[in-house]
Amino acid sequence: MSVLLIVISVSCFGQEKIPASEKKAIIELRDQIVQDLNGNLLPFWKKYSVDPNDPNQGFYGGIAMDGTGKANAKKHNVLFARYLWTYSSAYRIFKDEESLKLAHRAYNYLSNYFWDKKNGGVFWELNADGSVSDSSKMSYGLSFAMYAFSEYYKITKNEESLEKAKTIFRLMEKYGFDKENGGYMEAFKANWTFVEGKGMAGRQAKSMNTHLHILEAYTNLYRVWPDAQLKQQMYGLIDMFWKHILNTQTHHQELYFAKDWTVSGEYDSYGHDIEFSWLFDEAGKVLGDKALIKKIQDESVKIAATQLAEGMNAEGAMIYEKEGANNYRKNISWWVQAEAIVGFLNAYEISGDKKFLDAATGVWNYIKAHMIDKQYGGWIPDLTPEGLPKANSIKADGWTCPYHNSRMGFEVYERFHALK
């Protein structure tokens, strides 16, 4: 029998203590974001993601800016897992039947075409017709499949879906976990043989990004399956962040590592750092360890403050990253803005510091002005530093998807829906 865990919050700032002016600002921010979520974002994806001509009952692997589906686009593990997660979450929160139907469709497609029935886990990429294009197993992609199967189980109690999530966890621990150095390797062949130089880490063996989303997936799985080994590995992952990934002096994360955790390159990835700040907090809360939550939350606020001080442009948006001493990527990405809103609001809830609420509001105002696509719907995914759409933009591919900005809307709603 699976159990939903009670989340323990040790935030020092309860909603009942929010000053009236700040409460008014939160309600206005919440209402605008939820209106965009239910009136723009989710309708765009519901309308345009489904491929009505696919005999396999699937979704498009690519969508143009105007919503036109790309029938010949390859189908990426990450995009399809995020379809499943998004529609499952939308049904869990808002109980609309269209989202439930799309969640069923996404689950069936992942199960029938992405799932490796011989070796377990999910393939990295399919051709448009559902045949396998890249049979590799990527830890990053596996984490999103686990995340999605867990979410689908929440709304359906489909034991097969939960079993798939458990299977991925067990395979990750058997083949992906580095028993000598800790942490998880990046990429494998279909039969789980480790592959050098492939995955989110490029030429390196490990990456921050993969570990972040493994932690996210393990957290969601633990909500419905509080297994002792899973709990142990979550603590181990958190320890890896403290020891190797998070720099508690700079309040940034290192990005790429050799197998022994030797750091490769010098980056400040503002979007990943602000995303980590609240996902780290979420993991601590799900484990229910008050001492750990307090330690994490103290650092989460520092991370959010650092990104606010170093990663924002003059218009209130968060830029992408810095490489080395002063080589900045100042483009404005949809997912970075979405994570900034959640990270800043999370820091506000922990600390009560109004600067974080103001920062979240500033990012939202930038999104309204520059990123919401008033012509075709959805969001424009990538802007130049001047706030103009980048050439050759698309609405969906292997990485551009309904996950980050829809999740931001879900988070804002769930955190503040009772506020009046």
Side-chain angles (χ1 to χ4, degrees), residues 171-179 182-185 188 233:
L171 289 167
M172 287 287 295
E173 294 305 319
K174 182 176 181 179
Y175 297 109
F177 183 67
D178 180 354
K179 297 174 178 60
Y184 295 83
M185 308 302 288
F188 311 88
Q233 294 308 100

Side-chain angles (χ1 to χ4, degrees), residues 334-398:
W334 64 284
W335 74 265
V336 173
Q337 309 321 303
E339 297 302 336
I341 289 176
V342 182
F344 287 142
L345 287 176
N346 190 65
Y348 172 72
E349 287 188 280
I350 295 168
S351 68
D353 191 331
K354 184 176 178 290
K355 71 182 180 186
F356 294 120
L357 174 58
D358 291 341
T361 302
V363 175
W364 175 244
N365 288 337
Y366 184 93
I367 291 168
K368 287 192 298 180
H370 298 282
M371 198 157 268
I372 293 176
D373 188 340
K374 298 174 180 63
Q375 182 177 5
Y376 297 117
W379 287 14
I380 300 167
D382 205 8
L383 306 176
T384 67
E386 295 74 32
L388 301 174
K390 292 185 75 172
N392 302 316
S393 289
I394 41 76
K395 285 284 172 60
D397 61 7

